[in-house]
Amino acid sequence: MLEVHSIVKRFGGITVLNELSLSLQAGSVNCIIGPNGCGKTTLFNVLTGRLRPEGGRVLLEGRDITGLPAWRIAQLGMTRKFQIPGVYPELTVAENLIVPLAASNRRAGMLATLFAKSEDRLHALLDLCGLEGKAEYKVAALAHGEKQWLEIAMLLAVDADLILLDEPTAGMSVPETQKTAELVKRLRTEFGKTVLVIEHDMSFVRALDCHLIVMLRGQVVREGRLEDIQTDPEVIAAYLGGAVHAESE
C-alpha cells in the first residue's frame, strides 16, 4: 500500500528525517511510536504533501506521489486526521458525514449522497462512530471523544484506502481510549482500510495489538509486535521507559 524510500527532510541545518524508510501492507493497522522530536509528525506532513522532502520517494500503491500537493494525494486515496478534530461544529452529525460522502460521489453529483447506497453508507458511518442516536445533534454539543470518532468516520466517508491518524486519543478518558482502539481495528476488519497511527498512549497501543514502528532521531530503528520490541534496551531507554519493562516481567 505504501512504500517510503530514504526520505530526507531538513529545516535549516537540522535533519529531522534522516534516510527514513518503511512500508505498509494493504489492510494492516500500524502504529508509530517514538519520543517527542523524533520526526513523527514531520513524516506525516511529507506523506500527505504538506512538506516536500529534500530526498527520497513516497509510493502509494506503486505510484510516486513525492512532492504532490495535499489535495491531489487525498484524491489518490490517502487522508489524514490531525490531533485537533477537524469537524464542522455548526452542522449536525449527519451533515458532517454528508459533506465527505458528497466528495466521494462527486462524479455522480451532490444529490447522489441523499439516496440509495449513500443512505446505507451514512447509517454505517453513524454506527461506526457510535452516534446513530445523535445524528441530528449539532456537533458543537458533542463530547471531545465523540468529535474525534466523528472525524474518523468522515475520513472513511471519502473512501480513502490509507488513513493516517495523528494521536487520535489525545485528551480522551480511559473508556474513550479503549473505544477508539476498537473503532480503529474496525476500519481494517470491516472496511478493509490500511491505517497508520501516531500515538504516545501505551494503553491505546496495547489495545490496538498491531504492527509497531519505532522512530528515533528521524529514522525507523525497530519494527514488530509490542512483545517483540518492549525488551529492546534502546527502545526502553529512549521511549517506553522502565514502567513498560516492569510490566513485562
Side-chain angles (χ1 to χ4, degrees):
M1 174 59 66
L2 181 73
E3 297 174 80
V4 180
H5 297 288
S6 301
I7 286 293
V8 175
K9 182 59 191 174
R10 302 185 183 93
F11 296 100
I14 300 174
T15 300
V16 179
L17 299 178
N18 186 13
E19 299 283 340
L20 182 144
S21 298
L22 61 84
S23 64
L24 306 182
Q25 296 298 313
S28 63
V29 176
N30 311 266
C31 184
I32 299 176
I33 63 173
N36 290 331
C38 72
K40 301 184 299 295
T41 297
T42 298
L43 173 61
F44 267 28
N45 286 335
V46 168
L47 295 180
T48 55
R50 292 174 63 87
L51 291 174
R52 182 183 293 270
E54 279 73 49
R57 295 194 305 158
V58 179
L59 304 180
L60 180 63
E61 295 186 290
R63 177 171 183 161
D64 193 336
I65 62 169
T66 315
L68 291 181
W71 65 268
R72 181 60 179 144
I73 292 174
Q75 281 187 336
L76 292 172
M78 186 192 305
T79 56
R80 173 186 183 180
K81 182 193 180 312
F82 292 84
Q83 293 180 31
I84 300 174
V87 293
Y88 305 106
E90 71 280 6
L91 300 181
T92 67
V93 168
E95 289 168 342
N96 268 260
L97 292 170
I98 287 172
V99 170
L101 282 172
S104 68
N105 284 287
R106 54 188 174 277
R107 293 182 181 178
M110 178 72 77
L111 292 179
T113 62
L114 303 178
F115 305 100
K117 292 183 179 179
S118 291
E119 275 292 303
D120 294 337
R121 288 186 66 198
L122 177 59
H123 288 298
L125 292 167
L126 288 168
D127 174 71
L128 174 72
C129 60
L131 294 174
E132 278 198 288
K134 297 184 177 181
E136 300 308 316
Y137 280 47
K138 289 292 181 69
V139 169
L142 297 181
H144 172 71
E146 291 174 326
K147 292 176 183 176
Q148 300 278 32
W149 302 330
L150 174 61
E151 187 179 13
I152 293 174
M154 290 168 67
L155 294 181
L156 185 61
V158 299
D159 206 23
D161 296 315
L162 175 56
I163 297 175
L164 275 56
L165 306 175
D166 193 348
E167 296 192 38
T169 66
M172 286 189 179
S173 65
V174 173
E176 288 175 331
T177 295
Q178 294 300 309
K179 183 173 179 178
T180 303
E182 293 304 314
L183 188 158
V184 171
K185 288 191 284 189
R186 288 179 64 190
L187 294 177
R188 178 185 67 82
T189 58
E190 295 182 25
F191 299 93
K193 302 303 180 182
T194 307
V195 185
L196 180 60
V197 185
I198 291 174
E199 190 52 71
H200 286 287
D201 186 334
M202 293 309 298
S203 65
F204 176 71
V205 173
R206 289 189 185 87
L208 278 184
D209 188 27
C210 69
H211 181 77
L212 299 185
I213 300 167
V214 183
M215 283 183 61
L216 293 174
R217 301 177 294 277
Q219 296 178 318
V220 173
V221 297
R222 189 75 188 271
E223 295 189 53
R225 311 292 295 188
L226 179 58
E227 58 269 23
D228 298 326
I229 68 171
Q230 66 182 359
T231 56
D232 184 295
E234 185 178 19
V235 174
I236 293 171
Y239 182 69
L240 295 178
V244 172
H245 182 66
E247 288 179 13
S248 67
E249 294 178 345

